[in-house]
């Protein structure tokens, strides 16, 4: 399987994502919504698996490849949030965001490059990037929470329920744990591949900034439960930093000598 | 709830005071950096270790002797810690935006491109270690089992920052350039000064496994790869069909290791100077003509073979990309020889407190390089840093897990 087949799988998967989101709200029988979301995930999951097999390497080298996993984990994270905490609206939101990433991948056709440079051929490669993708997906869900709350506050002048922030806290604690794991796996890998666990490479520095931003959020929440506006604002800012760390960095001057720019 | 307005520096201190302290530290750091252009360097072992131990002992001493002093207690509270995190983050942000350079290169104003060696970074690290250290001591002094995640994550972080900071002067990263058959015990650092290693390396063999070359459609006038397909060049594979512009191309034969043959074009060869070769059939959809020819990659004794498809385009192989490169070496250390050591990217070898890494070769010669670049790294502080990392991670996981459990207990208790 290659990128050539991707639009078909993406379309089918997107259709199920949308149908699932609609069913969750309209159908009395929960089964339909659940079945559609799971099918959508299965279709995209199948593509990832077959794509992996066709490439003979883990499809996590280029940005397009990471977007692919993201579109999978984001919906998975949203759906699990719904199952675990009963938050329904997170499902259509995460599906919508995943849809955007699927479309991005269709619009910007990726190189079908099978080569994988020696530095990336490591047992750390898969855990490092997959853990990051899971973390990014869960933290995106928390950013959706903050975006919704900020929207309600500024445009409708309404205050959101306290439970919403509790949900954000839960998502951040999951996301932060995975973020820490990703950072640490990266450090261990760097020691094996490049001789040192930390070199202030721009990507590392941005990853650290992302971690620090969520660290600030956690401390603020630990001490100042009542200041909710600040919490939502921090959550939003943290996600902006995360986006820069993920792909915004490719447009920064400091990234020119990064070991992480594999895409070109 | 009406809050009584309090003046700055009136107790209890909060964020205004925290921000003021951070601003003060920043001013001190910036002034020191303006006054002294020299890079701040950590003393080498054993002085850095002594410094570390003194600092480590100082924190509990200060806490237990002076905790009645308000500042000492306040430094272990969230506002102070957040100030320390934010200060550190701001410096990290500057490092993330301004490209950081090596020591030998010109320094920007305020050491902006060498922040790691600035007073600002040093002061920020010390402030972070002070607040974090006091937090840990305070929590340990009132230890409850429920605090184990908290203590582990914070203590772990403290160890990481401390050990990584102290290690900077003891970290040695040297490059060893060695040709096949040579024995070398000299290495150069990033400023190209030479050092003698406590061991010698003999390179028995350097080898590269390559990926198949990629197929490129090239404009013969400019010798540039056709831009429409530039980012999507296919790997050559026997039996594959490609459509490039108005050409249908079939890879009839592909030999990953071949040499030229006067009658057959190319034949399989295991020679060290072998090249990649492919027999290609091309159908021109505009003219209806079919042509076929060999194309091949180059070696020191063989020039690259291209295939002229028409007056505008030719077909060529790109330089094959390395799949794997490795050095078979012998290491001579203390009258002892370690034979048959295989160094590969991502597979370093540890010897006599050093770690050896395969990092490079002569890129211009590619597969035919006889030169191997090996990095020798010595960092005696790694175990301490890793201990901190693992402790911190364990703490984060424990906190995550116990938090969940607490929640469940709370819901059950309702």
């Amino acid at each position: 399987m290659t990128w050539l087949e991707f639009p078909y799988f993406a379309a089918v998967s997107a259709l199920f994502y949308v149908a699932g989101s609609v069913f969750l709200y309209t159908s009395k029988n929960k089964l339909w919504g659940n079945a559609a979301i799971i099918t959508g995930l299965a279709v995209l999951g199948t593509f990832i698996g077959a794509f992996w097999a066709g490439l003979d390497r883990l499809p996590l080298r280029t940005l397009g490849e990471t977007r692919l996993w993201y579109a999978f984990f984001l919906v998975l994270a949203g759906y699990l949030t719904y199952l675990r905490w009963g938050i329904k609206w997170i499902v259509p939101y995460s599906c919508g965001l995943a849809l955007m990433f699927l479309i991005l991948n269709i619009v910007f056709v990726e190189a079908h490059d099978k080569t994988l440079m020696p530095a990336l051929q490591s047992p750390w490669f898969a855990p490092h990037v997959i853990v990051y993708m899971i973390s990014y997906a869960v933290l995106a869900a928390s950013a959706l929470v903050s975006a919704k709350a900020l929207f309600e506050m500024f445009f409708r002048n309404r205050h959101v329920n306290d439970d919403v922030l509790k949900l954000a806290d839960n998502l951040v604690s999951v996301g932060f744990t995975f973020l820490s794991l990703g950072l640490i796996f990266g450090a261990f890998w760097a020691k094996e591949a490049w001789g040192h666990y930390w070199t202030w490479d721009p990507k590392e520095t941005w990853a650290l900034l992302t971690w620090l931003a969520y660290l600030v959020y956690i401390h603020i929440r630990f001490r100042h439960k009542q200041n909710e506006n600040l919490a939502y604002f921090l959550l939003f800012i943290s996600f902006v930093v995360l986006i820069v760390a993920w792909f915004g960095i490719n447009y920064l001057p400091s990234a020119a000598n990064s070991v992480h720019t594999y895409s070109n | 709830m009406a809050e009584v307005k309090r003046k700055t520096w009136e107790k209890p201190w909060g964020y205004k005071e925290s921000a003021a302290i951070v601003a003060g530290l920043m001013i001190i750091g910036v002034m020191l950096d303006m006054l002294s252009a020299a890079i701040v360097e950590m003393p080498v072992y054993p002085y850095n270790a002594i410094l570390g131990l003194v600092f480590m002992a100082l924190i509990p001493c200060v806490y237990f002797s002076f905790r009645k002093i308000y500042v000492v207690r306040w430094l272990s509270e969230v506002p102070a810690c957040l100030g320390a995190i934010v200060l550190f983050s701001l410096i990290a942000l500057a490092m993330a935006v301004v490209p950081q350079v090596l020591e030998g290169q010109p320094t920007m104003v305020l050491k902006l491109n060498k922040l790691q060696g600035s007073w600002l970074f040093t002061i920020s690290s010390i402030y972070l270690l002070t607040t974090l250290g006091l937090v840990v001591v305070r929590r340990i002094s009132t230890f409850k089992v429920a605090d184990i995640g908290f203590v582990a994550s914070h203590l772990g972080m403290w160890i990481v920052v401390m050990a990584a900071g102290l290690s900077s002067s003891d970290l040695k990263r040297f490059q060893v350039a060695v040709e096949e058959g040579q024995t070398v015990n000299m290495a150069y650092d990033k400023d190209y000064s030479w050092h003698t290693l406590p061991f010698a390396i003999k390179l028995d063999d350097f080898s590269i496994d390559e990926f198949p070359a990629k197929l490129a459609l090239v404009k013969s006038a400019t010798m540039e790869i056709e831009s429409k397909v530039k980012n999507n060049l296919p790997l050559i594979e026997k039996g594959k069909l490609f459509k490039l512009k108005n050409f249908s191309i079939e890879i009839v034969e592909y030999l990953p290791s071949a040499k030229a043959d006067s009658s057959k074009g190319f034949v399989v060869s295991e020679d060290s100077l072998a090249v990649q070769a492919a027999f290609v059939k091309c159908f021109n959809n505009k003219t209806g003509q079919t042509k076929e020819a060999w194309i091949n990659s180059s070696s020191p004794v063989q020039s690259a073979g291209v295939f002229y498809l028409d007056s505008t385009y030719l077909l060529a192989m790109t330089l094959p990309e390395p799949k794997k490169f490795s050095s078979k070496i012998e290491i001579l250390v203390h009258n002892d020889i370690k034979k048959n050591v295989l160094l590969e990217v991502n597979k370093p070898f540890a010897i006599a407190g050093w770690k050896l890494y395969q990092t490079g070769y002569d890129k211009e010669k590619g597969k035919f390089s006889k030169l191997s670049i090996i990095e020798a790294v010595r960092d005696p502080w790694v175990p301490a840093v890793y201990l901190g990392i693992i402790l911190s991670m364990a703490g984060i996981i424990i906190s995550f897990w116990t938090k969940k459990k607490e929640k469940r207990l709370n819901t059950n208790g309702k």
Side-chain angles (χ1 to χ4, degrees), chain B residues 120-186:
Chain B
L120 193 57
F121 182 83
T122 312
I123 290 173
S124 152
S125 304
I126 295 172
Y127 187 49
L128 187 68
L129 283 169
T130 308
T131 56
L132 193 55
L134 287 170
V135 168
V136 173
V137 172
R138 185 168 56 104
R139 272 294 172 111
I140 291 179
S141 70
T142 60
F143 188 74
K144 292 190 296 277
V145 180
D147 288 343
I148 193 156
F150 183 99
V151 170
S153 59
H154 289 74
L155 180 61
M157 245 5 264
W158 192 88
I159 296 173
V160 171
V161 178
M162 188 75 191
L166 293 177
S167 78
S168 59
S169 55
D170 290 334
L171 173 68
K172 292 193 172 76
R173 301 187 70 172
F174 298 152
Q175 307 283 327
V176 185
V178 54
E179 298 255 357
E180 276 182 12
Q182 268 186 344
T183 306
V184 170
N185 71 339
M186 294 292 284

Side-chain angles (χ1 to χ4, degrees), chain B residues 6 80 121 184 217 236 272 291 313 324 331 340 381 409:
Chain B
R6 120 192 118 72
F121 182 83
V184 170
L217 189 66
I236 295 172
S272 65
K291 281 169 133 185
Y313 288 107
K324 189 175 121 175
I331 308 166
N340 287 326
W381 293 85
L409 285 176

Side-chain angles (χ1 to χ4, degrees), chain B residues 107-337:
Chain B
T107 311
M108 277 168 78
V109 63
L110 298 180
K111 303 184 188 133
L112 273 174
N113 58 349
K114 292 178 190 169
L115 278 168
Q116 233 189 306
S118 68
W119 278 107
L120 193 57
F121 182 83
T122 312
I123 290 173
S124 152
S125 304
I126 295 172
Y127 187 49
L128 187 68
L129 283 169
T130 308
T131 56
L132 193 55
L134 287 170
V135 168
V136 173
V137 172
R138 185 168 56 104
R139 272 294 172 111
I140 291 179
S141 70
T142 60
F143 188 74
K144 292 190 296 277
V145 180
D147 288 343
I148 193 156
F150 183 99
V151 170
S153 59
H154 289 74
L155 180 61
M157 245 5 264
W158 192 88
I159 296 173
V160 171
V161 178
M162 188 75 191
L166 293 177
S167 78
S168 59
S169 55
D170 290 334
L171 173 68
K172 292 193 172 76
R173 301 187 70 172
F174 298 152
Q175 307 283 327
V176 185
V178 54
E179 298 255 357
E180 276 182 12
Q182 268 186 344
T183 306
V184 170
N185 71 339
M186 294 292 284
Y188 53 91
D189 62 20
K190 52 186 194 277
D191 300 320
Y192 294 102
S193 38
W194 289 89
H195 304 267
T196 311
L197 294 169
F199 50 82
I201 296 173
K202 177 168 182 259
L203 180 63
D204 290 333
D205 184 41
F206 175 75
S207 65
I208 297 189
D209 285 356
E210 292 176 326
F211 281 107
K214 289 174 181 169
L215 196 63
L217 189 66
V218 179
K219 282 186 187 146
S220 48
T222 55
M223 289 312 259
E224 274 171 15
I225 296 176
E226 170 63 36
S227 56
K228 277 187 187 146
V229 293
K230 202 170 179 176
N231 294 321
N232 226 343
L233 303 178
L235 288 180
I236 295 172
E237 204 178 315
K238 187 180 171 175
K240 277 266 164 142
L241 298 166
F242 303 109
K243 223 178 135 10
L244 300 171
K245 301 286 275 190
N246 56 316
F247 306 104
S248 301
I249 289 152
E250 184 191 352
I251 310 291
V252 182
E253 183 63 82
Y254 166 66
L255 307 174
S257 184
K259 66 170 184 195
D261 181 274
S262 51
S263 61
K264 290 181 183 159
F266 278 87
V267 291
V268 174
S269 161
E270 290 308 317
D271 193 276
S272 65
L273 292 174
V275 295
Q276 294 193 22
F279 190 64
V280 186
K281 200 189 262 183
C282 169
F283 178 72
N284 188 329
N285 295 318
K286 268 192 195 153
T287 62
Q289 266 186 327
T290 302
K291 281 169 133 185
E292 47 188 35
W294 282 95
I295 55 173
N296 65 276
S297 64
S298 64
S299 81
V301 294
Q302 173 85 51
S303 55
V306 298
F307 178 9
Y308 286 89
L309 302 177
D310 63 10
S311 52
T312 323
Y313 288 107
L314 62 86
L315 207 58
M317 279 185 178
T318 59
L319 277 179
E321 291 170 38
K323 189 187 229 167
K324 189 175 121 175
F325 51 100
S326 56
S327 298
K328 211 177 98 190
I329 57 170
E330 288 172 39
I331 308 166
L332 292 82
V333 56
H334 311 310
N335 302 324
D336 194 20
I337 300 185

Side-chain angles (χ1 to χ4, degrees), chain A residues 111-113 115-116 118-119 121-122 170 184 189 191-197 200 205-206 209 212 223-224 254, chain B residues 15 79 89 92 95-97 116 173 211 214 231-232 321 323 346 348 355 357 377 379 385-386 389 393 407:
Chain A
H112 317 194
D113 196 340
T115 59
L116 186 64
Q121 297 165 21
S122 160
N170 285 324
I184 288 167
W189 180 9
K191 179 71 195 161
E192 291 308 290
W194 288 287
H196 200 44
Y197 50 85
W200 295 101
T205 311
W206 278 101
L209 280 171
L212 287 168
R223 175 69 187 263
H224 305 280
S254 54
Chain B
Y15 288 94
S89 303
M95 290 170 93
V97 177
Q116 233 189 306
R173 301 187 70 172
F211 281 107
K214 289 174 181 169
N231 294 321
N232 226 343
E321 291 170 38
K323 189 187 229 167
N346 267 311
K355 252 185 164 184
Y357 296 81
V377 179
D379 186 358
V385 175
Y386 278 23
I389 289 180
M393 195 63 232
K407 283 235 168 78

